[in-house]
Amino acid sequence: MAITASSNLTVTTISLTMAELGPLNPLPVVAAELDQPYTVGEGVPEELQTSARYGVVPNVYPYLMQDGYSRDAAPKELPAVVLENSKLKVTVVPSLGGRIWELFDKATGKQLLHTHDAPQLANIALRKAWFAGGLEWNIGTRGHSPTSCDPLHTAIVHTPDGKHILRVWEYERLREVVFQVDIWLPADSDVLFAAVRLRNPNDHDVPMYWWSNAAIPETDGTRVIAPADEAFGSDYATDITRVRPTDYEGYDGTWLVNSPHAADFFFDIDPSERRWVVAADDDGDGLAMLSTGLLRGKKLFVWGQGQGGKRWQEWLSPGAGPYAEIQAGLAQTQFEHLVMPAGAEWAWLESYGNGHLEPQTSHGADWDAAVAHASERLEQLLPHEELEAMLPAAISNADVPSSKMLLHGSGWGVVERARRDRSGMAWIDESGTPFVEESVTAEQEPWLGLLHGKAFHGAPSFVAGADWEDLLAGQDSPEAQLHLATMKHARQDLGGAKALYREVLAARDVTPGTKALAHRGLGLALLAEGQELQGLAELRNGVKIDPSNVALLTEAVTLNNRHGDPAMALELAEMAPKEAAAVGRLRFLKALALARTGNPGEAAAILRAGVEIPDLREGEDAIAALWQEVCPNEAVPAPYQFGMH
């Protein structure tokens, strides 16, 4: 039911059947655990190799992981904004990363995006929680954004030139930048527009990453076209190499259903060419992604037709059918970061609509003819010069104040502004993207208090930066020392972190929770240095002090299995609170420990009874591997087949 309307922009709700996101994982993300870029192979330019080495981070600290969800879904009403004209109907969900959830073409009656009413949370993003479908915004580093499942600051903006804009924005904590997306749909327009602006308020360069990812329906007749003969390809198992998508491993990979396994194709578009990518089904209809020149990269991703790829799609979109992705990014590939200079602002325009290709040509054997035809059709859909000419007005409109605030994002922008004010550092002009006090919660309050001279006695969240370390160094509480230790640990100063963890453990009047985290941090640091026995002992000490911390327990069981002490893993697993004993990952970890301690029969019994791990990592095939070990004469059940290659 509509609540308010503004021209062709309506504030309403959408009903989705989803699991709750659940509580944040309380453990600070300090280990060097992010997947590193794949090895660069033959035919890859030095420029790409250099930018693939640049800006790699060890982890997503100071963010906390979002892994408290289950697979128990229930209907829920979420705030939504609908942009509609005579050609298109677009639905945006601001509370889920500002995602464009539906792009409906009225003339054909087709959804141009893969969308459904029961998105399932799964461990795909940088902070784990993610869901398939729609068109999402990814910033920070390689992977789905830290803000994938977070509410963004959201407002309606009426501009002097007559646009009615839906604006979403947030302060991104990994790179310490502000991003915003202005979305609008002119009357009778065949395409939706999105203007993206990134602002680096720092006095130093930052590595920058951005990809706009659109999930598209996969049919037997869907083909993806971009103006390039070659691409940089990855099959999630081998090096990144220069490939020809139309002749890749003996098949034409531009047809979605031809790929036997998961694959990426980053199209190598000549700088003189317009940058676009389009999907066309057997009627020629499908999503076209167009952009101004700054958004260089264009990509196709497929899950593949193997059992694992099909299982992943059913896991992510139960009953909604298969999908693939077409994407657009700042760099040529997702393995790269670009140098964003100090104080820089970057902006570009994106547009999305139905490519309306002629199927006989777009699906013909002549790739050059298909590309030429698609290029002509997309120029008719939206002339390139027209799109480029719209950019200055979009940049000007980016600072127009909002007319109506709809939703608050996080309070971290308020904290960052206060931190910079205290230190005399530059900050952004908040005219169009205000960070308001009403967004501050218990996550930010202790840090604002520290900035204002109050004593620090702990926080449920974490921060990063040299001035924060200076402030905490001036406090004498164990909680301040713990947070200072985590900061050093997160940037891989293991020696400094260990010394501070030990000071926390030696202090008087330390709360059990603080002490448990200090044992845990010390244990991880020791493991990173190869001191396995000492590291595992510290993890066990942490669990014994705070056995109610299920995240700590699960991590300790995982690491004892990984580092060769399955007997202790089994002992710790038995300590799980009753309400956590049936959690899927702990059940699996117990089965793994049983197998490693010479009890394959008991392990097999757990697997046969059924194990479901809500936060199973993308590509993780551990359940199938354990089944093959403890049930060697039985085929791996389909629900356990998650291998991507």
Side-chain angles (χ1 to χ4, degrees), residues 433-451:
T433 55
F435 294 102
V436 297
E437 300 296 330
E438 292 88 338
S439 64
V440 173
T441 68
E443 287 186 54
Q444 294 88 34
E445 285 171 351
W447 301 108
L448 283 173
L450 181 60
L451 288 172

Side-chain angles (χ1 to χ4, degrees), residues 7 35 88 92 94 143 163 170 180 315 327 434 496 514 534 611 621:
S7 181
D35 295 336
L88 300 171
V92 181
K163 294 187 183 71
E170 186 54 280
Q180 78 184 81
W315 180 257
Q327 309 176 10
T514 298
Q534 300 94 319
V611 169
D621 210 19

Side-chain angles (χ1 to χ4, degrees), residues 189-247:
S189 173
D190 289 304
V191 296
L192 176 73
F193 293 95
V196 182
R197 179 170 66 162
L198 309 180
R199 286 182 282 176
N200 174 17
N202 299 286
D203 60 2
H204 55 81
D205 299 347
V206 296
M208 188 45 59
Y209 172 102
W210 179 281
W211 283 80
S212 302
N213 289 11
I216 56 169
E218 177 186 294
T219 72
D220 289 345
T222 308
R223 191 185 203 188
V224 168
I225 304 171
D229 293 329
E230 295 185 327
F232 298 105
S234 165
D235 62 3
Y236 292 82
T238 56
D239 293 348
I240 310 162
T241 56
R242 185 182 289 278
V243 301
R244 187 172 288 271
T246 53
D247 184 14

Side-chain angles (χ1 to χ4, degrees), residues 75-136:
K76 56 172 26 175
E77 293 292 316
L78 297 172
V81 180
V82 173
L83 299 88
E84 186 169 10
N85 66 10
S86 59
K87 309 288 183 63
L88 300 171
K89 182 179 180 182
V90 182
T91 303
V92 181
V93 188
S95 62
L96 292 173
R99 192 173 300 203
I100 298 174
W101 187 235
E102 295 179 339
L103 182 54
F104 180 72
D105 178 39
K106 294 182 177 181
T108 61
K110 293 180 180 181
Q111 288 282 7
L112 301 180
L113 296 171
H114 170 73
T115 187
H116 48 111
D117 60 6
Q120 176 61 56
L121 295 172
N123 181 1
I124 304 288
L126 288 165
R127 296 173 67 194
K128 295 191 176 182
W130 182 82
F131 59 101
L135 192 155
E136 60 176 308

Side-chain angles (χ1 to χ4, degrees), residues 318-572:
Y323 75 95
E325 293 179 4
I326 55 175
Q327 309 176 10
L330 281 173
Q332 189 156 11
T333 76
Q334 286 171 339
F335 307 103
E336 303 168 80
H337 299 98
L338 301 185
V339 178
M340 187 175 191
E345 294 191 8
W346 288 352
W348 63 87
L349 274 178
E350 304 181 34
S351 62
Y352 325 102
N354 190 337
H356 287 304
L357 306 188
E358 192 281 309
Q360 185 172 351
T361 306
S362 64
H363 289 56
D366 188 335
W367 174 251
D368 290 339
V371 169
H373 166 69
S375 180
E376 180 182 351
R377 281 291 175 95
L378 298 185
E379 186 65 18
Q380 295 170 3
L381 179 67
L382 178 63
H384 180 55
E385 289 187 5
E386 182 179 323
L387 182 61
E388 291 283 353
M390 294 172 66
L391 184 56
I395 293 172
S396 177
N397 287 334
D399 283 322
V400 174
S402 62
S403 304
K404 181 179 179 59
M405 193 75 185
L406 301 180
L407 189 70
H408 294 311
S410 80
W412 291 112
V414 175
V415 175
E416 185 64 10
R417 181 181 65 224
R419 180 181 79 91
R420 290 172 180 269
D421 284 348
R422 180 186 179 278
S423 302
M425 295 186 292
W427 181 233
I428 64 163
D429 176 356
E430 289 190 24
S431 299
T433 55
F435 294 102
V436 297
E437 300 296 330
E438 292 88 338
S439 64
V440 173
T441 68
E443 287 186 54
Q444 294 88 34
E445 285 171 351
W447 301 108
L448 283 173
L450 181 60
L451 288 172
H452 296 144
K454 295 182 180 179
F456 183 83
H457 297 292
S461 55
F462 298 85
V463 294
D467 50 349
W468 286 117
E469 294 190 24
D470 291 341
L471 282 168
L472 286 170
Q475 301 282 310
D476 60 2
S477 67
E479 290 80 13
Q481 289 179 309
L482 175 70
H483 278 268
L484 187 54
T486 63
M487 291 182 187
K488 291 180 181 292
H489 195 165
R491 56 183 173 81
Q492 306 310 298
D493 175 3
L494 299 182
K498 287 190 302 178
L500 283 164
Y501 287 134
R502 288 182 171 123
E503 286 186 30
V504 174
L505 294 173
R508 296 181 179 180
D509 302 322
V510 184
T511 65
T514 298
K515 196 168 187 177
L517 287 179
H519 278 298
R520 179 255 184 179
L522 180 56
L524 292 182
L526 290 166
L527 286 174
E529 293 179 332
Q531 301 181 61
E532 293 190 333
L533 291 178
Q534 300 94 319
L536 294 178
E538 292 295 339
L539 291 176
R540 292 194 292 272
N541 289 337
V543 171
K544 289 173 181 176
I545 289 171
D546 190 6
S548 65
N549 188 330
V550 177
L552 181 61
L553 173 68
T554 304
E555 181 182 66
V557 175
T558 300
L559 292 172
N560 272 274
N561 270 330
R562 185 179 300 165
H563 290 278
D565 195 347
M568 181 52 65
L570 199 55
E571 180 181 325
L572 292 173

